[in-house]
Amino acid sequence: MRAALLGAGGVPVTGLGLGAAAIGGLYEAVGEDEAAATVEAAWDSGIRYFDTAPHYGLGLSERRLGAALRTRPRKDFVLSTKVGRVLEPHDGGGDDRANGFAVPATHRRRWDFSADGVRRSLEDSLTRLGLDRVDLVLLHDPDEHGEQAFREAYPALEELRSQGVVRAIGAGMNQSRMLTRFLTDTDVDAVLCAGRYTLLEQGALETLLPAASAAGKSVIVGGVFNSGLLADPAPGATYDYAAAPSELLDRAVRMREVTEAHGLPLRAAALRFPFGHPAVASVLVGARSAAQVVDAVALVRGPAPGAVWDDLRAQGLLPGGVPVPEPVLDGSQG
């Protein structure tokens, strides 16, 4: 896979990246061997960008990802993790399913967007990863902590970048409004927008993506399946980590009918869609098995008839002004 650069920072990311929440037990448990095989399949498929966070499985995702990458040449891959939640030991027993992860509740999360919290979180992540550095550090979900994130956490990240501790900085959220502020009011290299620029909804197209283009910054897109709905729109499918509303489920089913009429699985259209915007540097795919990785890579590399987008527009399922990808993605994206 060829790589795109994050903003002006010179950090190369492959067009398809591996989001490592699933190997941290998102929704259901994943075994050690299966997690390792997932990362190995990503590597064998040419993926060289990997994203994780302390939040994912209470550190399990970081530990597993670090173990799988530790034997690879460090210069050959790009790794991002996140700050804003500090993990503290917890011996109360139970599991973490209330937070979406099928793992033992060995720790509890504490929000901390202070400068000290940023540094401590990064140090803890490096310990769990077993690596000497990460390339990109993102402020993770500062929705209810915005002012502290801008006042304390962001300057701490800027200092770490100026010291060469990290190569690039940014923020990752499930909304576009505050991410747009990061692009316009700070010197971040990139933002990670999850769930707000998908085949199902394009809220990020209003301000976030134009702001990124104007500033010469990059957008990493996550949550392209809207947490499951666009992967398999069936009763019980999830949207934004909860049961999908019936109107959205119906919309996704109609989309599937259109894409499959062109021989294109809905999940393929969902994976490919964000590449239509020039500010998108990488699309993250979450996978819990090697088979899911192989499937995603094949879907994003295969052809997508241009008429599929036209038909989605004709049926009112895709707005007319939304950019769409080329029928065959070039090497920088597949």
Side-chain angles (χ1 to χ4, degrees):
M1 290 187 187
R2 295 182 183 177
L5 299 180
L6 293 180
V11 177
V13 291
T14 45
L16 197 63
L18 180 68
I23 66 169
L26 181 64
Y27 300 137
E28 60 186 76
V30 174
E32 293 285 347
D33 291 345
E34 190 171 23
T38 301
V39 180
E40 183 175 2
W43 187 275
D44 291 344
S45 298
I47 291 173
R48 294 293 183 271
Y49 171 41
F50 303 86
D51 175 72
T52 184
H55 172 56
Y56 302 156
L58 294 170
L60 180 62
S61 172
E62 289 184 317
R63 290 193 294 273
R64 286 177 165 177
L65 188 59
L69 293 176
R70 213 168 293 147
T71 58
R72 312 289 185 178
R74 185 62 188 87
K75 63 180 177 59
D76 288 352
F77 64 90
V78 166
L79 176 65
S80 59
T81 194
K82 306 179 184 77
V83 296
R85 292 175 175 91
V86 174
L87 301 182
E88 298 178 334
H90 170 63
D91 58 5
D95 60 41
D96 194 49
R97 290 183 183 273
N99 294 296
F101 292 91
V103 298
T106 56
H107 292 73
R108 58 164 57 97
R109 302 166 180 83
R110 177 173 59 81
W111 291 104
D112 193 341
F113 287 95
S114 68
D116 286 344
V118 165
R119 288 187 284 266
R120 175 184 167 183
S121 180
L122 180 56
E123 289 172 1
D124 290 348
S125 289
L126 290 172
T127 297
R128 286 188 291 267
L129 288 160
L131 297 170
D132 62 352
R133 62 180 171 85
V134 296
D135 302 282
L136 169 65
V137 178
L138 301 163
L139 302 176
H140 199 188
D141 296 337
D143 304 68
E144 304 302 322
H145 310 270
E147 291 312 308
Q148 186 182 33
F150 281 98
R151 187 180 63 251
E152 300 179 40
Y154 169 74
L157 286 186
E158 197 173 57
E159 182 178 4
L160 290 170
R161 183 180 60 184
S162 68
Q163 293 172 345
V165 176
V166 299
R167 301 169 65 191
I169 59 175
M173 304 179 72
N174 293 286
Q175 58 145 294
S176 57
R177 181 185 56 82
M178 192 179 292
L179 289 181
T180 302
R181 182 182 169 194
F182 275 107
L183 289 170
T184 58
D185 294 1
T186 75
D187 188 31
V188 294
D189 298 283
V191 295
L192 195 169
C193 182
R196 304 287 79 85
Y197 192 61
T198 72
L199 190 62
L200 192 66
E201 58 179 287
Q202 300 86 43
L205 193 59
E206 296 176 15
T207 58
L208 177 65
L209 288 161
S213 293
K217 303 300 176 65
S218 300
V219 176
I220 300 161
V221 173
V224 292
F225 299 132
N226 285 111
S227 78
L229 180 57
L230 289 179
D232 183 17
T238 52
Y239 167 81
D240 274 1
Y241 311 104
S246 59
E247 63 273 16
L248 289 183
L249 177 58
D250 291 344
R251 185 178 179 86
V253 169
R254 290 173 59 202
M255 286 182 161
R256 180 176 62 189
E257 292 171 352
V258 172
T259 65
E260 290 185 350
H262 290 275
L264 190 70
L266 178 61
R267 64 188 189 281
L271 263 176
R272 298 169 66 87
F273 169 76
F275 290 116
H277 199 285
V280 174
S282 185
V283 170
L284 293 174
V285 59
R288 63 180 65 252
S289 69
Q292 288 184 357
V293 172
V294 171
D295 176 67
V297 171
L299 292 174
V300 83
R301 283 178 169 162
V308 71
W309 315 113
D310 295 335
D311 284 358
L312 286 168
R313 288 172 174 144
Q315 296 197 29
L317 297 170
L318 189 65
V322 173
V324 295
E326 296 296 326
V328 178
L329 296 177
D330 65 31
S332 67
Q333 295 162 318

